[in-house]
Amino acid sequence: HLSIRRQRQMCIRDRPYEFWRTLTDKIKHQITPNRTFDIYQVGETFGGDDLIKSYVNNGMLDAQFNFNQFFVARRVFVEKDGNFEDLAMAIEKSLEAYGYNHIMGNIMDSHDQVRMMALLEGDLSMSEDGTERAWHEPTITVDNPETYEKEMVFLTYLLTVPGIPIIYYGDEFGMTGANDPDNRRMMRFDDQLTKTESKQLIKIRQLINLRNRYSSLRRGDYKTLLDGRNVLAFTRGGSNERLIVVLNKGSEPVNVEIYVPKWMQCHTIESLGSGELIQVNNDKVKISLGKYSADIFRVL
Protein backbone atom coordinates (compact mmCIF):
# COMPACT_ATOMS: atom_id res chain seq x y z
CA HIS A 1 0.00 0.00 0.00
CA LEU A 2 2.84 2.41 0.82
CA SER A 3 4.43 1.73 -2.56
CA ILE A 4 1.18 2.44 -4.41
CA ARG A 5 0.63 5.62 -2.37
CA ARG A 6 4.12 6.87 -3.16
CA GLN A 7 3.59 6.19 -6.85
CA ARG A 8 0.34 8.16 -6.79
CA GLN A 9 2.00 11.06 -4.98
CA MET A 10 4.83 11.12 -7.49
CA CYS A 11 2.34 10.98 -10.36
CA ILE A 12 0.33 13.91 -8.99
CA ARG A 13 3.51 15.89 -8.37
CA ASP A 14 4.77 15.32 -11.90
CA ARG A 15 1.49 16.13 -13.69
CA PRO A 16 2.20 19.89 -14.14
CA TYR A 17 5.62 19.08 -15.62
CA GLU A 18 4.13 16.41 -17.86
CA PHE A 19 1.54 18.91 -19.10
CA TRP A 20 4.12 21.56 -20.01
CA ARG A 21 6.39 19.01 -21.67
CA THR A 22 3.49 17.78 -23.81
CA LEU A 23 2.30 21.30 -24.69
CA THR A 24 5.81 22.52 -25.52
CA ASP A 25 6.43 19.49 -27.72
CA LYS A 26 3.22 20.13 -29.65
CA ILE A 27 4.04 23.82 -30.05
CA LYS A 28 7.54 22.99 -31.26
CA HIS A 29 6.40 20.46 -33.86
CA GLN A 30 2.90 21.66 -34.84
CA ILE A 31 2.80 25.43 -34.34
CA THR A 32 6.31 26.90 -34.58
CA PRO A 33 7.11 25.51 -38.09
CA ASN A 34 4.17 27.51 -39.46
CA ARG A 35 5.21 30.82 -37.88
CA THR A 36 7.79 33.46 -38.79
CA PHE A 37 8.71 33.95 -35.12
CA ASP A 38 9.07 31.37 -32.39
CA ILE A 39 6.53 31.30 -29.56
CA TYR A 40 7.72 32.71 -26.24
CA GLN A 41 6.08 30.91 -23.32
CA VAL A 42 6.10 32.78 -20.02
CA GLY A 43 4.53 31.22 -16.92
CA GLU A 44 3.14 32.56 -13.67
CA THR A 45 4.28 30.77 -10.53
CA PHE A 46 4.64 32.19 -7.02
CA GLY A 47 7.30 30.69 -4.77
CA GLY A 48 11.03 30.33 -4.35
CA ASP A 49 13.51 30.46 -7.21
CA ASP A 50 13.96 26.67 -7.15
CA LEU A 51 10.24 26.07 -7.73
CA ILE A 52 9.94 28.77 -10.39
CA LYS A 53 13.09 27.58 -12.16
CA SER A 54 11.89 23.96 -12.23
CA TYR A 55 9.43 24.89 -15.01
CA VAL A 56 12.02 26.81 -17.08
CA ASN A 57 14.00 24.54 -19.39
CA ASN A 58 14.15 23.41 -23.01
CA GLY A 59 11.31 20.94 -22.58
CA MET A 60 8.85 23.25 -20.84
CA LEU A 61 8.53 27.02 -20.43
CA ASP A 62 10.91 29.60 -21.89
CA ALA A 63 10.51 31.79 -18.82
CA GLN A 64 8.30 32.83 -15.93
CA PHE A 65 7.27 36.19 -14.51
CA ASN A 66 10.18 37.28 -12.32
CA PHE A 67 7.95 37.92 -9.31
CA ASN A 68 10.68 37.77 -6.69
CA GLN A 69 12.63 40.57 -8.35
CA PHE A 70 9.39 42.47 -9.05
CA PHE A 71 8.29 42.47 -5.41
CA VAL A 72 11.64 43.96 -4.38
CA ALA A 73 11.55 46.53 -7.20
CA ARG A 74 8.00 47.60 -6.33
CA ARG A 75 8.87 48.14 -2.68
CA VAL A 76 12.09 50.01 -3.51
CA PHE A 77 10.36 52.39 -5.93
CA VAL A 78 7.21 52.95 -3.86
CA GLU A 79 8.28 53.16 -0.22
CA LYS A 80 10.10 56.25 1.04
CA ASP A 81 12.84 54.22 2.68
CA GLY A 82 13.22 51.93 -0.35
CA ASN A 83 16.90 51.42 -1.13
CA PHE A 84 18.38 50.58 -4.52
CA GLU A 85 20.91 48.36 -2.73
CA ASP A 86 18.08 45.84 -2.24
CA LEU A 87 17.14 45.93 -5.92
CA ALA A 88 20.75 45.51 -7.04
CA MET A 89 20.96 42.41 -4.84
CA ALA A 90 17.70 41.07 -6.30
CA ILE A 91 19.00 41.53 -9.86
CA GLU A 92 22.20 39.66 -8.98
CA LYS A 93 20.17 36.90 -7.34
CA SER A 94 18.09 36.47 -10.51
CA LEU A 95 21.27 36.22 -12.56
CA GLU A 96 22.58 33.50 -10.27
CA ALA A 97 19.28 31.61 -10.29
CA TYR A 98 18.36 31.81 -13.98
CA GLY A 99 21.66 32.49 -15.74
CA TYR A 100 23.34 35.61 -17.06
CA ASN A 101 21.47 35.48 -20.37
CA HIS A 102 18.08 34.62 -18.91
CA ILE A 103 14.82 35.70 -20.53
CA MET A 104 12.66 35.81 -17.43
CA GLY A 105 9.70 38.19 -17.68
CA ASN A 106 10.18 41.45 -15.80
CA ILE A 107 6.90 43.19 -14.96
CA MET A 108 5.57 46.48 -13.65
CA ASP A 109 1.90 45.47 -13.49
CA SER A 110 -0.23 42.39 -14.04
CA HIS A 111 -3.83 41.24 -13.98
CA ASP A 112 -3.71 40.44 -10.25
CA GLN A 113 -1.56 43.25 -8.84
CA VAL A 114 -2.33 46.86 -7.90
CA ARG A 115 -1.31 49.14 -10.76
CA MET A 116 2.09 50.74 -10.14
CA MET A 117 0.71 54.20 -10.97
CA ALA A 118 -1.73 53.95 -8.04
CA LEU A 119 1.14 53.11 -5.69
CA LEU A 120 3.47 55.79 -7.07
CA GLU A 121 0.66 58.35 -6.82
CA GLY A 122 0.01 57.39 -3.20
CA ASP A 123 -3.62 56.43 -3.79
CA LEU A 124 -2.83 53.09 -2.17
CA SER A 125 -0.11 51.97 0.20
CA MET A 126 1.67 48.63 0.06
CA SER A 127 -0.21 47.48 3.16
CA GLU A 128 -3.73 48.30 1.92
CA ASP A 129 -6.18 45.82 0.44
CA GLY A 130 -6.17 46.77 -3.22
CA THR A 131 -9.03 44.42 -4.05
CA GLU A 132 -11.39 46.04 -1.55
CA ARG A 133 -10.42 49.51 -2.76
CA ALA A 134 -11.35 48.45 -6.30
CA TRP A 135 -15.03 48.35 -5.30
CA HIS A 136 -15.17 51.77 -3.61
CA GLU A 137 -15.62 55.23 -5.06
CA PRO A 138 -14.18 57.60 -6.09
CA THR A 139 -12.33 55.93 -8.93
CA ILE A 140 -8.57 56.21 -8.64
CA THR A 141 -7.08 58.76 -11.04
CA VAL A 142 -3.60 60.16 -11.73
CA ASP A 143 -3.62 63.77 -10.53
CA ASN A 144 0.07 64.52 -9.94
CA PRO A 145 2.21 65.02 -13.09
CA GLU A 146 5.25 63.81 -11.17
CA THR A 147 3.74 60.33 -11.03
CA TYR A 148 4.38 59.98 -14.77
CA GLU A 149 8.02 60.95 -14.17
CA LYS A 150 8.28 58.28 -11.47
CA GLU A 151 6.83 55.72 -13.86
CA MET A 152 9.43 56.61 -16.49
CA VAL A 153 12.21 55.85 -14.02
CA PHE A 154 10.63 52.46 -13.28
CA LEU A 155 10.15 51.70 -16.98
CA THR A 156 13.76 52.68 -17.70
CA TYR A 157 14.78 50.08 -15.13
CA LEU A 158 12.36 47.56 -16.65
CA LEU A 159 13.64 48.02 -20.20
CA THR A 160 17.36 48.00 -19.40
CA VAL A 161 17.95 45.20 -16.86
CA PRO A 162 18.53 41.55 -17.88
CA GLY A 163 15.38 39.70 -18.88
CA ILE A 164 12.36 40.40 -21.07
CA PRO A 165 10.23 43.47 -20.24
CA ILE A 166 6.54 42.55 -20.01
CA ILE A 167 4.44 45.68 -20.55
CA TYR A 168 0.92 45.13 -19.27
CA TYR A 169 -1.64 46.97 -21.38
CA GLY A 170 -1.96 50.61 -20.34
CA ASP A 171 1.50 50.78 -18.76
CA GLU A 172 2.70 52.52 -21.90
CA PHE A 173 0.70 55.66 -21.12
CA GLY A 174 0.35 55.42 -17.33
CA MET A 175 -2.95 53.66 -16.68
CA THR A 176 -3.81 53.45 -12.98
CA GLY A 177 -6.10 51.26 -10.89
CA ALA A 178 -6.42 49.29 -7.69
CA ASN A 179 -6.44 45.49 -7.70
CA ASP A 180 -8.75 43.18 -9.64
CA PRO A 181 -11.08 44.20 -11.29
CA ASP A 182 -9.90 47.83 -11.24
CA ASN A 183 -6.55 46.87 -12.78
CA ARG A 184 -8.43 45.57 -15.84
CA ARG A 185 -10.08 48.77 -17.03
CA MET A 186 -11.04 49.12 -20.67
CA MET A 187 -8.10 49.98 -22.88
CA ARG A 188 -7.99 53.49 -24.32
CA PHE A 189 -6.43 54.63 -27.60
CA ASP A 190 -5.50 57.77 -29.56
CA ASP A 191 -7.85 60.68 -28.77
CA GLN A 192 -9.14 58.84 -25.69
CA LEU A 193 -5.82 59.63 -24.01
CA THR A 194 -5.16 62.87 -22.15
CA LYS A 195 -2.36 65.17 -23.35
CA THR A 196 -0.15 63.98 -20.50
CA GLU A 197 -0.82 60.33 -21.34
CA SER A 198 -0.04 60.95 -25.01
CA LYS A 199 3.29 62.55 -24.06
CA GLN A 200 4.04 59.59 -21.81
CA LEU A 201 3.35 57.20 -24.67
CA ILE A 202 5.82 59.06 -26.88
CA LYS A 203 8.53 58.89 -24.19
CA ILE A 204 8.04 55.18 -23.68
CA ARG A 205 8.14 54.55 -27.43
CA GLN A 206 11.49 56.37 -27.50
CA LEU A 207 12.75 54.19 -24.66
CA ILE A 208 11.62 51.03 -26.45
CA ASN A 209 13.37 52.23 -29.62
CA LEU A 210 16.61 52.60 -27.64
CA ARG A 211 16.26 49.03 -26.42
CA ASN A 212 15.71 47.86 -29.99
CA ARG A 213 18.65 49.90 -31.25
CA TYR A 214 21.21 48.78 -28.67
CA SER A 215 21.65 45.03 -28.34
CA SER A 216 23.47 45.52 -25.02
CA LEU A 217 20.10 46.28 -23.40
CA ARG A 218 18.77 42.94 -24.61
CA ARG A 219 21.72 40.56 -24.41
CA GLY A 220 24.59 42.42 -22.77
CA ASP A 221 26.36 41.51 -19.55
CA TYR A 222 25.42 43.26 -16.32
CA LYS A 223 27.41 44.93 -13.54
CA THR A 224 26.25 47.29 -10.79
CA LEU A 225 28.40 50.43 -10.63
CA LEU A 226 26.60 52.35 -7.88
CA ASP A 227 23.71 51.46 -5.59
CA GLY A 228 22.49 53.94 -3.01
CA ARG A 229 19.14 54.80 -1.53
CA ASN A 230 17.85 56.79 -4.49
CA VAL A 231 20.47 56.26 -7.21
CA LEU A 232 21.27 53.09 -9.14
CA ALA A 233 23.89 52.90 -11.87
CA PHE A 234 24.84 49.81 -13.85
CA THR A 235 26.53 48.90 -17.09
CA ARG A 236 25.49 46.52 -19.84
CA GLY A 237 27.53 45.62 -22.85
CA GLY A 238 29.53 43.26 -24.98
CA SER A 239 32.45 43.26 -27.38
CA ASN A 240 30.92 45.86 -29.74
CA GLU A 241 29.21 48.36 -27.45
CA ARG A 242 28.79 49.33 -23.82
CA LEU A 243 26.15 51.43 -22.06
CA ILE A 244 25.74 52.91 -18.59
CA VAL A 245 22.25 53.33 -17.12
CA VAL A 246 21.66 55.74 -14.22
CA LEU A 247 18.38 56.06 -12.29
CA ASN A 248 17.32 58.67 -9.73
CA LYS A 249 14.05 57.82 -7.98
CA GLY A 250 14.49 60.63 -5.46
CA SER A 251 12.56 63.89 -5.15
CA GLU A 252 15.75 65.97 -5.40
CA PRO A 253 18.30 66.44 -8.20
CA VAL A 254 21.55 64.54 -7.69
CA ASN A 255 25.21 64.85 -8.62
CA VAL A 256 26.92 61.48 -8.40
CA GLU A 257 30.44 60.26 -9.02
CA ILE A 258 30.56 56.77 -10.51
CA TYR A 259 33.62 54.55 -10.54
CA VAL A 260 34.25 53.08 -13.98
CA PRO A 261 36.31 49.85 -14.00
CA LYS A 262 39.50 49.99 -16.05
CA TRP A 263 38.44 47.02 -18.17
CA MET A 264 35.65 49.17 -19.65
CA GLN A 265 38.35 51.34 -21.29
CA CYS A 266 36.06 54.32 -20.89
CA HIS A 267 37.28 57.87 -21.58
CA THR A 268 34.09 59.64 -22.62
CA ILE A 269 30.38 58.88 -22.33
CA GLU A 270 27.51 60.31 -24.37
CA SER A 271 23.97 60.83 -23.07
CA LEU A 272 21.51 59.13 -25.40
CA GLY A 273 18.88 61.55 -24.12
CA SER A 274 20.57 64.93 -24.54
CA GLY A 275 23.69 64.13 -26.56
CA GLU A 276 25.90 65.64 -23.83
CA LEU A 277 29.50 64.40 -23.74
CA ILE A 278 31.02 63.77 -20.30
CA GLN A 279 34.70 63.08 -19.69
CA VAL A 280 35.92 60.22 -17.51
CA ASN A 281 38.85 61.19 -15.29
CA ASN A 282 40.90 58.79 -13.17
CA ASP A 283 38.31 56.04 -13.72
CA LYS A 284 35.52 58.24 -12.37
CA VAL A 285 32.68 60.08 -14.09
CA LYS A 286 30.42 62.77 -12.63
CA ILE A 287 26.78 62.66 -13.67
CA SER A 288 23.92 65.03 -12.83
CA LEU A 289 20.29 63.94 -12.88
CA GLY A 290 17.08 65.80 -12.10
CA LYS A 291 14.52 64.49 -9.66
CA TYR A 292 12.59 61.41 -10.78
CA SER A 293 14.74 60.97 -13.86
CA ALA A 294 16.97 58.51 -15.67
CA ASP A 295 19.48 58.53 -18.49
CA ILE A 296 21.36 56.04 -20.63
CA PHE A 297 24.94 56.76 -21.67
CA ARG A 298 26.99 55.27 -24.48
CA VAL A 299 30.64 54.58 -23.77
CA LEU A 300 32.82 56.10 -26.50
Side-chain angles (χ1 to χ4, degrees), residues 43-285:
E44 181 183 23
T45 301
F46 292 93
D49 287 327
D50 287 343
L51 173 62
I52 295 172
K53 185 179 179 181
S54 68
Y55 290 92
V56 181
N57 58 59
N58 291 333
M60 291 188 279
L61 295 170
D62 298 299
Q64 296 232 50
F65 288 147
N66 200 351
F67 279 118
N68 294 328
Q69 183 173 311
F70 161 69
F71 291 139
V72 175
R74 181 174 63 178
R75 175 176 56 79
V76 167
F77 275 91
V78 171
E79 295 183 348
K80 290 184 178 181
D81 61 348
N83 196 313
F84 269 136
E85 289 183 7
D86 297 334
L87 182 54
M89 290 176 59
I91 295 171
E92 294 286 354
K93 186 177 180 181
S94 290
L95 294 174
E96 293 175 4
Y98 307 111
Y100 276 74
N101 289 308
H102 73 75
I103 53 173
M104 294 291 285
N106 295 320
I107 65 172
M108 184 179 87
D109 289 319
S110 79
H111 59 280
D112 55 11
Q113 301 291 330
V114 173
R115 289 266 188 177
M116 183 64 70
M117 289 294 283
L119 296 170
L120 294 174
E121 176 90 354
D123 290 316
L124 279 166
S125 69
M126 297 285 291
S127 60
E128 288 184 78
D129 188 335
T131 301
E132 181 161 341
R133 177 59 183 85
W135 298 97
H136 289 77
E137 297 291 344
T139 302
I140 290 174
T141 59
V142 182
D143 303 307
N144 189 343
E146 288 186 345
T147 305
Y148 292 96
E149 298 174 6
K150 295 177 183 179
E151 186 200 29
M152 278 303 304
V153 182
F154 192 100
L155 284 170
T156 301
Y157 146 78
L158 192 75
L159 283 147
T160 57
V161 294
I164 303 296
I166 306 295
I167 298 181
Y168 187 52
Y169 82 96
D171 284 350
E172 66 273 23
F173 60 81
M175 182 181 284
T176 190
N179 211 328
D180 188 17
D182 197 36
N183 56 8
R184 308 187 192 192
R185 299 180 183 182
M186 291 296 292
M187 181 61 174
R188 292 182 284 115
F189 301 92
D190 302 326
D191 58 358
Q192 295 175 324
L193 304 182
T194 67
K195 289 183 179 180
T196 305
E197 289 172 334
S198 296
K199 291 179 180 179
Q200 189 78 342
L201 179 59
I202 292 173
K203 292 179 182 178
I204 292 175
R205 281 174 175 164
Q206 292 171 341
L207 182 58
I208 291 173
N209 286 336
L210 283 179
R211 178 181 172 85
N212 291 335
R213 180 179 177 184
Y214 293 97
S215 61
S216 293
L217 298 178
R218 305 189 304 274
R219 296 184 295 273
D221 60 19
Y222 173 92
K223 179 176 177 57
T224 300
L225 300 178
L226 176 68
D227 54 349
R229 178 177 177 181
N230 290 325
V231 178
L232 175 65
F234 55 87
T235 180
R236 300 206 63 192
S239 59
N240 296 323
E241 66 181 32
R242 180 155 298 279
L243 304 177
I244 295 175
V245 181
V246 188
L247 313 173
N248 175 26
K249 70 179 182 67
S251 59
E252 298 292 337
V254 294
N255 298 297
V256 295
E257 188 174 66
I258 299 173
Y259 169 72
V260 180
K262 289 184 180 297
W263 58 263
M264 287 177 57
Q265 299 181 347
C266 178
H267 304 289
T268 307
I269 62 174
E270 177 189 17
S271 166
L272 298 183
S274 66
E276 178 187 8
L277 297 177
I278 305 175
Q279 297 299 314
V280 178
N281 298 308
N282 299 319
D283 301 323
K284 294 180 180 178
V285 60

Side-chain angles (χ1 to χ4, degrees), residues 1 6 10 21 30 36 65 76 108 118 148 168 241 295:
H1 292 295
R6 288 194 185 116
M10 291 176 63
R21 290 190 190 99
Q30 299 179 29
T36 303
F65 288 147
V76 167
M108 184 179 87
Y148 292 96
Y168 187 52
E241 66 181 32
D295 205 347

